[in-house]
Amino acid sequence: MLGPEQPAEVSQPAVDRMVADALAAFAAAGSSAELKAARLAHTGEKSPLALANRAIGTLPGTERKEAGQRLGLARAAVQQRLADREGELSAAELAEQLVAERIDVTLPVEIAPQGAPHPITALIDLMGDVFIAMGWEIAEGPQAEGEWLNFDALNLGPDHPARGTSDTLFVAPIDHHMVLRTHTSPVQVRTMLDREPPIYVVCPGKVYRADEFDATHVPVFHQIEGLCIDKGISLAHLKGTLDHLAKAMFGDDIETRMRPHYFPFTEPSAEVDLQCFVCHGASVGNPDAPCRTCKSQGWIEWGGCGVVNPRVLLSCGIDPEVYSGFAFGMGIERTLMFRNNAADMRDMVEGDVRFSRSLKGMAR
Ligand code: PHE
């Protein structure tokens, strides 16, 4: 490039060279950015052609006209070639971009990441459905519950150890006698107080106990409890109902047994066990093949049950001479553990959607 102080050459060979240089630079430019640099160098204000053009004014008249024409043609030729090259390069770049950014619009897309119902929710629904199919109803109640409804009405006297602060979470101030319900049985009390028998309800929901947080305990968990009050209800109805629920949960092969127990609100009371679904009882008395799941007992505890204590009926305004009933309750987390091999209860509260997805569709 000529410096501004040097006289610019405007002869035909000199102008031809400038044009040839410009065209060569345009041809060599492989991208819009390179072409821009070539354009500034060969058509910009300080380009040889611009300087030559500016020098025309200093020439004597005859030469000026000729040089003017020569430079006019030269610059027009350069501009034309520049425009052509710009067109070529942008077309090539567009074609490249179209290939690079190509998307297959026929591919299926996940519009939003999909969650899954929480397995506890799904299992509550499933267990509820078993009862709805038999004509029962679902009842719900508050989680912060009156102490009387949670304990006294259920024949858990003031001295019952479960009322102590070690098991029960009290809501401050303590003289308001509110607790976080330790079981869903107060919902059954509310139902009996509200309605006349016959009563067939299941009460699922969250319950609270001052418990450890480990693989088999969580301080907030879920129960489902059932209550039936009608004329002529006996232990046999309870056994039949529990067997039906167990089969619906674990399959037709499941064996259950009732083992005598004590609950203040039922009499007689029992714990309901499931036959161990790992060893099916084969580990009992067989030290060569111990079973970790049932600790070689052959059975695992599922829940509690019994015939409703007449004292409970009386506190709820139901005549025990006319009506009798049964009640049962079991943990949903435990049921999920047994049913779906969910070994660690902590997975059930951590809210990782992968856990929910892994049990998706378990409901049926
Ligand atoms: N309410 C008892 C519990 O929380 C379970 C139960 C319900 C037992 C009904 C007997 C009858 O453990």
Side-chain angles (χ1 to χ4, degrees):
M1 203 190 292
L2 295 169
E5 69 286 356
Q6 288 170 286
E9 261 278 29
V10 296
S11 67
Q12 186 70 55
V15 171
D16 285 349
R17 200 173 344 103
M18 293 174 200
V19 172
D21 285 352
L23 299 192
F26 297 163
S31 67
S32 296
E34 286 173 20
L35 186 61
K36 182 180 177 190
R39 170 167 62 82
L40 290 175
H42 294 280
T43 68
E45 269 180 39
K46 292 182 181 166
S47 65
L49 279 169
L51 294 176
N53 196 47
R54 241 177 275 149
I56 295 171
T58 63
L59 296 174
T62 49
E63 284 181 40
R64 191 188 302 170
K65 187 177 171 209
E66 228 179 274
Q69 280 179 350
R70 187 182 304 142
L71 273 157
L73 287 171
R75 295 173 82 209
V78 166
Q79 285 301 338
Q80 181 59 52
R81 187 65 204 120
L82 177 63
D84 291 350
R85 189 66 186 140
E86 267 168 0
E88 284 165 27
L89 284 177
S90 65
E93 280 166 359
L94 179 63
E96 225 169 80
Q97 190 182 1
L98 288 176
V99 171
E101 293 179 4
R102 180 193 183 111
I103 49 167
D104 183 348
V105 294
T106 66
L107 280 179
V109 287
E110 210 180 358
I111 291 162
Q114 276 197 351
H118 194 278
I120 295 291
T121 310
L123 191 52
I124 287 176
D125 288 350
L126 183 63
M127 293 175 97
D129 283 351
V130 172
F131 288 94
I132 287 178
M134 296 192 290
W136 292 46
E137 290 167 72
I138 309 280
E140 286 177 318
Q143 294 172 33
E145 186 58 280
E147 203 178 342
W148 186 84
L149 289 159
N150 193 81
F151 293 126
D152 301 80
L154 290 158
N155 195 35
L156 278 122
D159 300 326
H160 195 280
R163 293 180 74 140
T165 41
S166 61
D167 285 313
T168 306
L169 295 161
F170 286 81
V171 179
I174 204 144
D175 58 352
H176 282 200
H177 298 287
M178 295 290 287
V179 298
L180 293 179
R181 67 182 181 195
T182 58
H183 48 186
T184 46
S185 308
V187 185
Q188 310 184 357
V189 175
R190 286 171 175 274
T191 309
M192 288 188 277
L193 289 171
D194 273 3
R195 299 180 21 184
E196 295 297 320
I199 292 172
Y200 290 82
V201 289
V202 275
C203 319
K206 271 193 174 53
V207 300
Y208 300 79
R209 286 183 198 174
D211 242 340
E212 296 302 319
F213 180 61
D214 61 30
T216 52
H217 297 89
V218 281
V220 183
F221 58 102
H222 298 78
Q223 281 189 331
I224 188 162
E225 296 203 343
L227 172 74
C228 149
I229 309 281
D230 208 339
K231 289 178 179 157
I233 293 297
S234 76
L235 205 63
H237 297 107
L238 170 60
K239 171 83 173 136
T241 306
L242 287 174
D243 279 353
H244 178 67
L245 178 64
K247 284 189 166 62
M249 288 300 111
F250 305 104
D252 285 343
D253 301 339
I254 195 78
E255 291 285 334
T256 64
R257 77 168 182 191
M258 277 153 74
R259 178 167 41 79
H261 196 74
Y262 172 75
F263 293 106
F265 29 88
T266 45
E267 181 58 40
S269 302
E271 282 198 320
V272 54
D273 293 343
L274 301 167
Q275 191 180 53
C276 178
F277 34 82
V278 175
C279 72
H280 297 280
S283 67
V284 182
N286 184 358
D288 296 337
C291 177
R292 281 200 306 160
T293 304
C294 65
K295 301 197 177 70
S296 301
Q297 299 294 300
W299 298 91
I300 38 188
E301 182 201 324
W302 188 26
C305 62
V307 171
V308 180
N309 192 320
R311 297 177 69 153
V312 173
L313 295 179
L314 277 177
S315 359
C316 297
I318 293 173
D319 184 351
E321 299 296 325
V322 181
Y323 291 104
S324 57
F326 65 78
F328 60 88
M330 58 272 300
I332 307 280
E333 279 80 356
R334 258 179 104 68
T335 307
L336 186 68
M337 288 178 113
F338 301 157
R339 186 173 184 273
N340 297 82
N341 279 325
D344 194 329
M345 272 196 191
R346 287 168 293 196
D347 289 336
M348 302 176 196
V349 286
E350 274 164 2
D352 188 328
V353 73
R354 288 171 297 185
F355 174 72
S356 299
R357 286 211 195 102
S358 73
L359 299 185
K360 201 174 169 185
M362 61 154 235
R364 255 149 253 272

